[in-house]
Amino acid sequence: LCGTPVELPPAEPAYTLGRSSELGACAQAALHWFEASGTLLDGGNGGVLEGLGTEIYPDGHQKIAFPIRTDCCGEAAMAYFFHALATGDAESRARSGRLEAYVYDVMQVKTGRCAGMLRWTDVAWEVCYQDDMARAMLVTLLKALYGQGREYLPQCRMALEFLMNTTGPDGLRPARTDNLNMTQSDFERLHTQNGAFPCAHYNAFYLACLLLYGKMERDARCLEVGERGMRSLLAAYPKTVREQSETEELCRLLLPVSWLYYATGKEADLEMLYTVIRSLEAVRHPSGAYLEWDSDYSAACSRQEGGECSLLSRNGDPVADLLYSNNWVPMGLMQAYFVTGDENIYALFLRHAGFLASAQISSRNAKINGAWARGYDVDMMEVFGLPNDVGWGPWAVESGWTVAEITAGLYSGLLKDKLKEFYR
């Protein structure tokens, strides 16, 4: 293909722990990607684009994923917030504020039966994914927790109220609601019938936000619904409903189970957190990445054709997913560290962060430089994808889920000593 011999990387690459200087440069490059790639719109006033799509055309240019997603806006606001907290950068603080304002001033429904709901995207105005809503609210909750502002906390509570009013008695919601096609009786059924959907992909971050808000504000209803939902979800563990893989479910449980323990202080919840961490450690690669794994290949996107497909062909393949799994780990492990004070968990963060630094794209192409691609072969240390995945291909880059989540997580690690005081 290349017309010349290609030197492959050594079979046993030298892996290192993430060092502060290395992680700082890594996070800074990732943050710069938002502006250099054109993903950040009008300094944040216009939100952020979803990122880069799967398709790469014959002339070499890559498709842009144009929707402005509420979750991506909130997650980018979180990344800029952490950068400002770490460096004192005034422009990052301003961008964070503009993006947070976009979430609530532009994308939140203010009146009617859907009052409080955060719309999915600028072109899917009637669709609600509760976990996407939750990740848009993380920046608001963390700003309040760290004493950095409470401007949009009432709007955040309004969003949580809408979700609680459409949550089943078991504390769970279905995968999504399409409000355009729902009657009033449909809405009432959401609150009177069990959601019966114990899936971290769709429910865990929503429940985590309830728990953190309830803990901070002593809000009994948020605490009760959040705990009830997490109990229903964890009752199915480890056979939770999977979207991409078992690894994804574990990665997405790190932060919610941490906040469950933070809110309740119960020994059983602490043990559950360590159970999740131990399960993840069972699929850790020497690089520090967590490999895709699905014990019974039961994930909805497992081995699909003609649509979205998980990266997993076979358990044991050296494949890491940075769209659905490893991207949640930095923030998740740091929250686990903050609520436990366990230095061993911080050591796991450093090991994983070292992998992220080594997997970050370095390119003369500003569209991808500083970002992370969806899939990675951790033996070859190269971007990886499956030929049958037409949903999120090898070079797809999600602005919020991937770049912003990783960036915020890395900065939270760099701010370890400062932030841990807020959890005492």
Side-chain angles (χ1 to χ4, degrees), residues 318-339:
V319 179
D321 191 322
L322 291 118
L323 172 62
Y324 286 110
S325 298
N326 282 267
N327 45 308
W328 314 117
V329 170
M331 183 64 73
L333 283 177
M334 284 311 303
Q335 291 303 315
Y337 166 76
F338 290 140
V339 303

PDB file of all heavy atoms in Angstrom, residues 318-339:
ATOM      1  N   PRO A 318      -7.297  -6.564  21.394  1.00  0.00           N
ATOM      2  CA  PRO A 318      -6.639  -5.430  22.067  1.00  0.00           C
ATOM      3  C   PRO A 318      -7.227  -4.082  21.627  1.00  0.00           C
ATOM      4  O   PRO A 318      -6.535  -3.238  21.068  1.00  0.00           O
ATOM      5  CB  PRO A 318      -5.181  -5.578  21.624  1.00  0.00           C
ATOM      6  CG  PRO A 318      -5.282  -6.175  20.248  1.00  0.00           C
ATOM      7  CD  PRO A 318      -6.463  -7.115  20.298  1.00  0.00           C
ATOM      8  N   VAL A 319      -8.513  -3.893  21.904  1.00  0.00           N
ATOM      9  CA  VAL A 319      -9.222  -2.734  21.381  1.00  0.00           C
ATOM     10  C   VAL A 319      -9.776  -1.890  22.526  1.00  0.00           C
ATOM     11  O   VAL A 319     -10.404  -2.410  23.454  1.00  0.00           O
ATOM     12  CB  VAL A 319     -10.381  -3.174  20.469  1.00  0.00           C
ATOM     13  CG1 VAL A 319     -11.124  -1.964  19.946  1.00  0.00           C
ATOM     14  CG2 VAL A 319      -9.850  -4.019  19.313  1.00  0.00           C
ATOM     15  N   ALA A 320      -9.542  -0.581  22.465  1.00  0.00           N
ATOM     16  CA  ALA A 320     -10.071   0.364  23.446  1.00  0.00           C
ATOM     17  C   ALA A 320     -11.017   1.327  22.747  1.00  0.00           C
ATOM     18  O   ALA A 320     -10.741   1.792  21.635  1.00  0.00           O
ATOM     19  CB  ALA A 320      -8.938   1.140  24.109  1.00  0.00           C
ATOM     20  N   ASP A 321     -12.135   1.629  23.391  1.00  0.00           N
ATOM     21  CA  ASP A 321     -13.145   2.545  22.856  1.00  0.00           C
ATOM     22  C   ASP A 321     -13.050   3.866  23.609  1.00  0.00           C
ATOM     23  O   ASP A 321     -13.175   3.911  24.833  1.00  0.00           O
ATOM     24  CB  ASP A 321     -14.539   1.931  23.037  1.00  0.00           C
ATOM     25  CG  ASP A 321     -15.613   2.687  22.264  1.00  0.00           C
ATOM     26  OD1 ASP A 321     -15.542   3.926  22.206  1.00  0.00           O
ATOM     27  OD2 ASP A 321     -16.534   2.033  21.736  1.00  0.00           O
ATOM     28  N   LEU A 322     -12.816   4.961  22.862  1.00  0.00           N
ATOM     29  CA  LEU A 322     -12.686   6.288  23.462  1.00  0.00           C
ATOM     30  C   LEU A 322     -13.902   7.172  23.202  1.00  0.00           C
ATOM     31  O   LEU A 322     -13.869   8.377  23.463  1.00  0.00           O
ATOM     32  CB  LEU A 322     -11.425   6.981  22.945  1.00  0.00           C
ATOM     33  CG  LEU A 322     -10.150   6.323  23.446  1.00  0.00           C
ATOM     34  CD1 LEU A 322      -9.328   5.770  22.296  1.00  0.00           C
ATOM     35  CD2 LEU A 322      -9.328   7.278  24.288  1.00  0.00           C
ATOM     36  N   LEU A 323     -14.977   6.557  22.728  1.00  0.00           N
ATOM     37  CA  LEU A 323     -16.242   7.261  22.582  1.00  0.00           C
ATOM     38  C   LEU A 323     -17.241   6.815  23.638  1.00  0.00           C
ATOM     39  O   LEU A 323     -18.029   7.614  24.147  1.00  0.00           O
ATOM     40  CB  LEU A 323     -16.821   7.011  21.178  1.00  0.00           C
ATOM     41  CG  LEU A 323     -18.245   7.520  20.898  1.00  0.00           C
ATOM     42  CD1 LEU A 323     -18.315   9.035  21.038  1.00  0.00           C
ATOM     43  CD2 LEU A 323     -18.708   7.092  19.507  1.00  0.00           C
ATOM     44  N   TYR A 324     -17.205   5.533  23.988  1.00  0.00           N
ATOM     45  CA  TYR A 324     -18.206   4.987  24.887  1.00  0.00           C
ATOM     46  C   TYR A 324     -17.646   4.438  26.202  1.00  0.00           C
ATOM     47  O   TYR A 324     -18.414   4.197  27.127  1.00  0.00           O
ATOM     48  CB  TYR A 324     -18.969   3.859  24.185  1.00  0.00           C
ATOM     49  CG  TYR A 324     -19.940   4.339  23.145  1.00  0.00           C
ATOM     50  CD1 TYR A 324     -19.706   4.123  21.789  1.00  0.00           C
ATOM     51  CD2 TYR A 324     -21.102   5.002  23.511  1.00  0.00           C
ATOM     52  CE1 TYR A 324     -20.610   4.566  20.831  1.00  0.00           C
ATOM     53  CE2 TYR A 324     -22.005   5.447  22.565  1.00  0.00           C
ATOM     54  CZ  TYR A 324     -21.762   5.227  21.230  1.00  0.00           C
ATOM     55  OH  TYR A 324     -22.657   5.663  20.283  1.00  0.00           O
ATOM     56  N   SER A 325     -16.366   4.223  26.307  1.00  0.00           N
ATOM     57  CA  SER A 325     -15.828   3.550  27.496  1.00  0.00           C
ATOM     58  C   SER A 325     -14.704   4.337  28.174  1.00  0.00           C
ATOM     59  O   SER A 325     -14.903   4.931  29.229  1.00  0.00           O
ATOM     60  CB  SER A 325     -15.329   2.148  27.122  1.00  0.00           C
ATOM     61  OG  SER A 325     -16.377   1.334  26.647  1.00  0.00           O
ATOM     62  N   ASN A 326     -13.506   4.338  27.574  1.00  0.00           N
ATOM     63  CA  ASN A 326     -12.348   4.931  28.233  1.00  0.00           C
ATOM     64  C   ASN A 326     -12.478   6.433  28.458  1.00  0.00           C
ATOM     65  O   ASN A 326     -11.801   6.986  29.326  1.00  0.00           O
ATOM     66  CB  ASN A 326     -11.078   4.629  27.429  1.00  0.00           C
ATOM     67  CG  ASN A 326     -10.577   3.216  27.644  1.00  0.00           C
ATOM     68  OD1 ASN A 326      -9.735   2.964  28.498  1.00  0.00           O
ATOM     69  ND2 ASN A 326     -11.108   2.277  26.867  1.00  0.00           N
ATOM     70  N   ASN A 327     -13.326   7.087  27.706  1.00  0.00           N
ATOM     71  CA  ASN A 327     -13.512   8.526  27.867  1.00  0.00           C
ATOM     72  C   ASN A 327     -14.135   8.903  29.204  1.00  0.00           C
ATOM     73  O   ASN A 327     -13.944  10.003  29.711  1.00  0.00           O
ATOM     74  CB  ASN A 327     -14.370   9.076  26.731  1.00  0.00           C
ATOM     75  CG  ASN A 327     -15.582   8.223  26.441  1.00  0.00           C
ATOM     76  OD1 ASN A 327     -15.469   7.012  26.236  1.00  0.00           O
ATOM     77  ND2 ASN A 327     -16.755   8.810  26.431  1.00  0.00           N
ATOM     78  N   TRP A 328     -14.920   7.981  29.806  1.00  0.00           N
ATOM     79  CA  TRP A 328     -15.552   8.272  31.100  1.00  0.00           C
ATOM     80  C   TRP A 328     -14.610   8.013  32.269  1.00  0.00           C
ATOM     81  O   TRP A 328     -14.901   8.413  33.403  1.00  0.00           O
ATOM     82  CB  TRP A 328     -16.802   7.404  31.299  1.00  0.00           C
ATOM     83  CG  TRP A 328     -17.707   7.330  30.120  1.00  0.00           C
ATOM     84  CD1 TRP A 328     -18.021   6.217  29.391  1.00  0.00           C
ATOM     85  CD2 TRP A 328     -18.441   8.400  29.513  1.00  0.00           C
ATOM     86  NE1 TRP A 328     -18.884   6.523  28.375  1.00  0.00           N
ATOM     87  CE2 TRP A 328     -19.158   7.859  28.419  1.00  0.00           C
ATOM     88  CE3 TRP A 328     -18.557   9.758  29.779  1.00  0.00           C
ATOM     89  CZ2 TRP A 328     -19.972   8.639  27.602  1.00  0.00           C
ATOM     90  CZ3 TRP A 328     -19.365  10.538  28.969  1.00  0.00           C
ATOM     91  CH2 TRP A 328     -20.058   9.981  27.891  1.00  0.00           C
ATOM     92  N   VAL A 329     -13.499   7.347  32.013  1.00  0.00           N
ATOM     93  CA  VAL A 329     -12.657   6.854  33.105  1.00  0.00           C
ATOM     94  C   VAL A 329     -11.931   7.959  33.875  1.00  0.00           C
ATOM     95  O   VAL A 329     -11.910   7.917  35.121  1.00  0.00           O
ATOM     96  CB  VAL A 329     -11.661   5.799  32.571  1.00  0.00           C
ATOM     97  CG1 VAL A 329     -10.606   5.449  33.619  1.00  0.00           C
ATOM     98  CG2 VAL A 329     -12.412   4.546  32.135  1.00  0.00           C
ATOM     99  N   PRO A 330     -11.311   8.955  33.229  1.00  0.00           N
ATOM    100  CA  PRO A 330     -10.568   9.941  34.021  1.00  0.00           C
ATOM    101  C   PRO A 330     -11.438  10.642  35.066  1.00  0.00           C
ATOM    102  O   PRO A 330     -11.070  10.702  36.247  1.00  0.00           O
ATOM    103  CB  PRO A 330     -10.046  10.929  32.966  1.00  0.00           C
ATOM    104  CG  PRO A 330     -10.019  10.152  31.698  1.00  0.00           C
ATOM    105  CD  PRO A 330     -11.167   9.206  31.771  1.00  0.00           C
ATOM    106  N   MET A 331     -12.582  11.169  34.654  1.00  0.00           N
ATOM    107  CA  MET A 331     -13.462  11.832  35.606  1.00  0.00           C
ATOM    108  C   MET A 331     -14.014  10.835  36.618  1.00  0.00           C
ATOM    109  O   MET A 331     -14.127  11.138  37.817  1.00  0.00           O
ATOM    110  CB  MET A 331     -14.603  12.524  34.870  1.00  0.00           C
ATOM    111  CG  MET A 331     -15.546  13.305  35.776  1.00  0.00           C
ATOM    112  SD  MET A 331     -14.768  14.703  36.613  1.00  0.00           S
ATOM    113  CE  MET A 331     -14.606  15.847  35.236  1.00  0.00           C
ATOM    114  N   GLY A 332     -14.350   9.628  36.166  1.00  0.00           N
ATOM    115  CA  GLY A 332     -14.893   8.628  37.064  1.00  0.00           C
ATOM    116  C   GLY A 332     -13.911   8.214  38.145  1.00  0.00           C
ATOM    117  O   GLY A 332     -14.259   8.129  39.330  1.00  0.00           O
ATOM    118  N   LEU A 333     -12.663   7.938  37.760  1.00  0.00           N
ATOM    119  CA  LEU A 333     -11.661   7.537  38.747  1.00  0.00           C
ATOM    120  C   LEU A 333     -11.342   8.687  39.708  1.00  0.00           C
ATOM    121  O   LEU A 333     -11.131   8.459  40.909  1.00  0.00           O
ATOM    122  CB  LEU A 333     -10.384   7.063  38.060  1.00  0.00           C
ATOM    123  CG  LEU A 333     -10.428   5.657  37.453  1.00  0.00           C
ATOM    124  CD1 LEU A 333      -9.114   5.349  36.746  1.00  0.00           C
ATOM    125  CD2 LEU A 333     -10.723   4.593  38.512  1.00  0.00           C
ATOM    126  N   MET A 334     -11.320   9.916  39.197  1.00  0.00           N
ATOM    127  CA  MET A 334     -11.027  11.034  40.094  1.00  0.00           C
ATOM    128  C   MET A 334     -12.162  11.261  41.084  1.00  0.00           C
ATOM    129  O   MET A 334     -11.921  11.573  42.252  1.00  0.00           O
ATOM    130  CB  MET A 334     -10.737  12.300  39.297  1.00  0.00           C
ATOM    131  CG  MET A 334      -9.351  12.313  38.656  1.00  0.00           C
ATOM    132  SD  MET A 334      -7.991  11.890  39.795  1.00  0.00           S
ATOM    133  CE  MET A 334      -8.190  13.122  41.093  1.00  0.00           C
ATOM    134  N   GLN A 335     -13.408  11.105  40.654  1.00  0.00           N
ATOM    135  CA  GLN A 335     -14.505  11.240  41.611  1.00  0.00           C
ATOM    136  C   GLN A 335     -14.455  10.113  42.639  1.00  0.00           C
ATOM    137  O   GLN A 335     -14.743  10.325  43.823  1.00  0.00           O
ATOM    138  CB  GLN A 335     -15.848  11.259  40.879  1.00  0.00           C
ATOM    139  CG  GLN A 335     -16.083  12.505  40.037  1.00  0.00           C
ATOM    140  CD  GLN A 335     -15.997  13.790  40.836  1.00  0.00           C
ATOM    141  OE1 GLN A 335     -16.542  13.893  41.923  1.00  0.00           O
ATOM    142  NE2 GLN A 335     -15.319  14.791  40.283  1.00  0.00           N
ATOM    143  N   ALA A 336     -14.082   8.910  42.184  1.00  0.00           N
ATOM    144  CA  ALA A 336     -13.910   7.802  43.128  1.00  0.00           C
ATOM    145  C   ALA A 336     -12.807   8.125  44.132  1.00  0.00           C
ATOM    146  O   ALA A 336     -12.926   7.834  45.331  1.00  0.00           O
ATOM    147  CB  ALA A 336     -13.590   6.513  42.374  1.00  0.00           C
ATOM    148  N   TYR A 337     -11.721   8.722  43.665  1.00  0.00           N
ATOM    149  CA  TYR A 337     -10.650   9.122  44.571  1.00  0.00           C
ATOM    150  C   TYR A 337     -11.133  10.179  45.561  1.00  0.00           C
ATOM    151  O   TYR A 337     -10.875  10.082  46.768  1.00  0.00           O
ATOM    152  CB  TYR A 337      -9.448   9.659  43.789  1.00  0.00           C
ATOM    153  CG  TYR A 337      -8.467  10.376  44.681  1.00  0.00           C
ATOM    154  CD1 TYR A 337      -7.609   9.657  45.517  1.00  0.00           C
ATOM    155  CD2 TYR A 337      -8.439  11.767  44.729  1.00  0.00           C
ATOM    156  CE1 TYR A 337      -6.731  10.319  46.370  1.00  0.00           C
ATOM    157  CE2 TYR A 337      -7.569  12.430  45.584  1.00  0.00           C
ATOM    158  CZ  TYR A 337      -6.723  11.707  46.404  1.00  0.00           C
ATOM    159  OH  TYR A 337      -5.868  12.358  47.253  1.00  0.00           O
ATOM    160  N   PHE A 338     -11.862  11.196  45.061  1.00  0.00           N
ATOM    161  CA  PHE A 338     -12.290  12.280  45.934  1.00  0.00           C
ATOM    162  C   PHE A 338     -13.200  11.798  47.064  1.00  0.00           C
ATOM    163  O   PHE A 338     -13.127  12.295  48.183  1.00  0.00           O
ATOM    164  CB  PHE A 338     -13.011  13.362  45.126  1.00  0.00           C
ATOM    165  CG  PHE A 338     -12.105  14.151  44.211  1.00  0.00           C
ATOM    166  CD1 PHE A 338     -12.515  14.505  42.936  1.00  0.00           C
ATOM    167  CD2 PHE A 338     -10.840  14.543  44.620  1.00  0.00           C
ATOM    168  CE1 PHE A 338     -11.695  15.233  42.087  1.00  0.00           C
ATOM    169  CE2 PHE A 338      -9.998  15.267  43.780  1.00  0.00           C
ATOM    170  CZ  PHE A 338     -10.428  15.613  42.520  1.00  0.00           C
ATOM    171  N   VAL A 339     -14.071  10.841  46.772  1.00  0.00           N
ATOM    172  CA  VAL A 339     -15.020  10.405  47.805  1.00  0.00           C
ATOM    173  C   VAL A 339     -14.433   9.344  48.729  1.00  0.00           C
ATOM    174  O   VAL A 339     -14.994   9.085  49.796  1.00  0.00           O
ATOM    175  CB  VAL A 339     -16.345   9.900  47.182  1.00  0.00           C
ATOM    176  CG1 VAL A 339     -16.974  10.970  46.308  1.00  0.00           C
ATOM    177  CG2 VAL A 339     -16.154   8.609  46.405  1.00  0.00           C
TER     178      VAL A 339
END
